[in-house]
Amino acid sequence: MTGAKRKRSTVWRKVQAVRFEDIKAWCMRRLPVLEWVPVYNWKENLVPDTISGMMLAIQQVTQGLAFAVLSSVHPVFGLYGSFFPVIIYAIFGMGRHVATGTFALTSLISANAVERLVPSVTTNFTANNNSGILGLSEFEMQRIGVAAAVSFLGGIIQVVMFVLQLGSATFLLTEPVISAMTTGAATHVVTSQVKYLLGMKMPYMSGPLAFFHIYAYVFENIRSVQLEALLLSLLSIVVLVLVKELNEKFHRNIKVVLPIDLLLVSTKLYIRLPSPKAPPMSVLPEVVTEAFGVALVGYVASLALAQGSAKKFKYTVDDNQEFLAHGLSNVIPSFFFCIPSAAAMGRTALLYSTGAKTQVACLISCLLILVVIYTIGPLLYWLPMCVLASIIVVGLKGMLMQFRDLKKYWNVDKIDWSIWVSTYVFTICFAANVGLLYGVVCTIAIVIFPLHYESLKQVKIVSVNSPLVFLNARKFHADLLKIIQKDGMSSQVCDIVNKCEQNTLLCSFSNGSCHGELAQPCHSERHVLILDCSGLNFFDYTGVSVLLQIYVDCKTRYIDVLLAHCKGSLIKAMQYGGNLDSENPVFFESISSAIDAIQIHRNYSKFSEQSEV
């Protein structure tokens, strides 16, 4: 009896140990902060993180005020949006150099819902007619209620996508699609600020082709432009651009960035941290469209920055975990009157230039924003809308400069260039989420349709410009065989092989001495298929199996298969699958190196045969 109890006790302890290890592993996976905080190097990283945090706080304050106005809510809510989401992402996010907070694209999307459900009236941000909540009017509280509802529902959608493990589907979000969508959305944001830059009174416009309607309205009412606002806008833009260019030029020598944005902004605000309050759930069915836009556009833009920082500083980012991090960064702050959040390119670039090491820089910026909320805010006085608009426009400089990508895509791949242009056009004609959807559809279409290939003498180069997964792997195999058969590559090889076999047979009858045309060398006649895998960004087990099957099939047809520009994960997967030639190399760094290897092998074969003769 005692022995049985001991046995049960031992088993129970083992079960408890297993459960504890599983819980610990889950917490480490879902709470990345538990992974990097214990190993944080206070001596080496605290100073650069502190400097970066100070500079980031300045930009968070100015962009928070500006993006709140862009979202059609009171500027104070931009400060809340620069505080709460940053803390949540620092706990759950994996991007060590990603600066989350208010974001121009998500602010513009939420503004559609705010202006539709709570139309504009003549307002005064000092709000004499206050509701007793944060000292703001009932009108302003209704507006932030709609924006918070968009943030809440958008975050819920992102969390659901995390639960469904949709992070693995991000291979459809190719670089041209993301670049074109963010550039088009940035163009929308700039267009929305034209009325402030020119000092014009303009009704709010949204929906399909609103981009063109806005500029048509501007030209029709060009005489109503206020010269003072226009001159102040131009001066602000020139000063902001010049100072930011100087900051970028000398950032290696001077880590402190001149806070020119803060010097241009001043506003009288009565600010304090709000008590939590649930967003108005009654408006959720009416903001579904904007919530999906916030969820998708915010995630895509943020993921691109997280992956870029991970590549630059050599660490990994889990695409699915980023869904959870950004989802919670929208859901939880929505209870504190926050507008939708995401990572911003300008702030992330600031962390790069000022030498930030970890998310501690973002947490330090939160402490400084807290000081602003309680101390500096009530001392400020004036709110120049044209200056805020200038800050928004200059803050989008990085996205607008992505127009330069067109030259790269044109030189590398005309299809990527076409996708970029058409996605951009769809984005500015309709909306960012529509442009994103169009780009994804184009990506799927490229997966389904045939490949591009280039044929040289006895060498065929096939470019794989799409993911290779179970959806398209078998069609890829069939299309490749059609390409080989179309050029008569297989039949030529069979004829050559038969001729070589006849030569070998005749040579055996002549006691090993071959003469004349009967002794033509067979090695130099062998055909080669080169697969350019530079565009193969994602693959699954079926894709790897098909590549191995292609290798075996071509080998039986006396065709050598070489792979160029392969990622390490693909090489490892194919080597693990086996059936590869261990004597001759299969993987090459580039197409040129593969062709050089072919030439060297053929020259060596000719030299060996001549030596034997």
Side-chain angles (χ1 to χ4, degrees), residues 345-391:
M345 181 181 293
R347 295 195 300 266
T348 301
L350 178 67
L351 291 181
Y352 289 175
S353 62
T354 53
K357 303 297 182 183
T358 64
Q359 279 289 321
V360 169
C362 298
L363 295 176
I364 291 174
S365 75
C366 289
L367 294 176
L368 297 176
I369 292 172
L370 195 62
V371 173
V372 170
I373 289 175
Y374 277 104
T375 60
I376 302 177
L379 302 178
L380 303 175
Y381 182 70
W382 179 51
L383 180 64
M385 295 299 296
C386 59
V387 173
L388 283 180
S390 302
I391 292 174

Side-chain angles (χ1 to χ4, degrees), residues 451-594:
L451 307 167
H452 304 285
Y453 69 96
E454 178 182 359
S455 185
L456 303 175
K457 186 178 181 180
Q458 296 182 337
V459 176
K460 189 176 299 300
I461 303 172
V462 176
S463 298
V464 187
N465 294 323
S466 60
L468 193 59
V469 294
F470 69 97
L471 292 172
N472 67 326
R474 297 191 184 281
K475 181 169 177 55
F476 171 86
H477 191 186
D479 289 344
L480 194 59
L481 293 179
K482 288 180 182 178
I483 291 173
I484 294 174
Q485 293 171 358
K486 179 181 177 181
D487 289 353
M489 188 175 181
S490 179
S491 59
Q492 291 174 16
V493 171
C494 290
D495 293 340
I496 293 167
V497 170
N498 292 334
K499 188 174 182 179
C500 288
E501 290 174 350
Q502 292 173 6
N503 291 347
T504 304
L505 182 62
L506 291 173
C507 287
S508 63
F509 284 132
S510 59
N511 296 323
S513 59
C514 299
H515 303 283
E517 294 183 357
L518 296 179
Q520 291 181 4
C522 298
H523 299 85
S524 61
E525 302 283 357
R526 196 173 180 93
H527 284 57
V528 180
L529 173 66
I530 299 178
L531 295 179
D532 177 12
C533 300
S534 57
L536 182 56
N537 297 318
F538 182 81
F539 57 88
D540 61 5
Y541 176 80
T542 305
V544 174
S545 300
V546 165
L547 286 176
L548 290 171
Q549 186 62 43
I550 290 170
Y551 179 86
V552 173
D553 290 348
C554 289
K555 195 172 182 180
T556 58
R557 298 167 183 257
Y558 298 93
I559 301 174
D560 292 329
V561 177
L562 307 180
L563 288 85
H565 296 294
C566 294
K567 291 178 172 55
S569 56
L570 177 61
I571 296 175
K572 184 177 180 180
M574 292 190 66
Q575 289 175 339
Y576 181 79
N579 298 325
L580 297 178
D581 191 347
S582 58
E583 297 181 0
N584 298 318
V586 177
F587 304 101
F588 294 86
E589 293 182 356
S590 63
I591 295 175
S592 59
S593 61

Side-chain angles (χ1 to χ4, degrees), residues 29 142 233 250 286 369 389 422:
R29 190 168 64 254
Q142 289 177 359
S233 298
F250 298 105
E286 301 181 66
I369 292 172
S422 55

